Amino acid sequence: ATLDRFRWFWVLLGRAFQVRDDILDFEGDSSLVGKTTGKDVAKGKGIVAFMGIEKAKTLLAELEYALLDIASSFQTAKFSDIVEYITRREK
């Protein structure tokens, strides 16, 4: 059961990383993000182009909630720290 939670944690974390990356591409500051922003949506790529910015933010919040729930079962703050870094990063 622990191994299944661990695997699911990393699957969801990868999804959260990509959703946050797409959000940053849409509304991030190019100088902070480290790349030209707005390219994905202009090409019709990414989760923001698919579902819109508000739904993408809602999805990210849902992923963060699920990840933090799983992380709490590991009994170490390091997993929660990883979740917060990935879901709230600015670059």
Side-chain angles (χ1 to χ4, degrees), residues 7-23 46-48 51 56 59-64 66-67 70 83 86-87 89:
R7 287 181 182 144
W8 189 235
F9 177 85
W10 293 109
V11 167
L12 293 179
L13 191 68
R15 290 180 185 169
F17 179 90
Q18 189 58 57
V19 172
R20 183 64 184 147
D21 194 63
D22 289 354
I23 290 169
I47 198 76
V48 174
M51 64 178 14
L59 175 59
L60 182 61
E62 291 169 354
L63 287 166
E64 181 180 22
L67 283 160
I70 296 168
V83 171
I86 293 299
T87 59
R89 65 192 176 92

Side-chain angles (χ1 to χ4, degrees), residues 1-2 5-6 8-10 12-13 60-77 79-81 83-84 87-88:
T2 300
R5 281 193 314 271
F6 188 71
W8 189 235
F9 177 85
W10 293 109
L12 293 179
L13 191 68
L60 182 61
E62 291 169 354
L63 287 166
E64 181 180 22
Y65 179 81
L67 283 160
L68 289 172
D69 185 51
I70 296 168
S72 69
S73 72
F74 297 137
Q75 301 175 356
T76 176
F79 288 96
S80 297
D81 293 344
V83 171
E84 289 184 21
T87 59
R88 299 175 189 197

Side-chain angles (χ1 to χ4, degrees), residues 31-50:
S31 64
L32 290 176
V33 175
K35 63 181 181 179
T36 304
T37 55
K39 295 186 302 184
D40 289 346
V41 172
K43 293 179 183 177
K45 292 176 32 179
I47 198 76
V48 174
F50 177 70

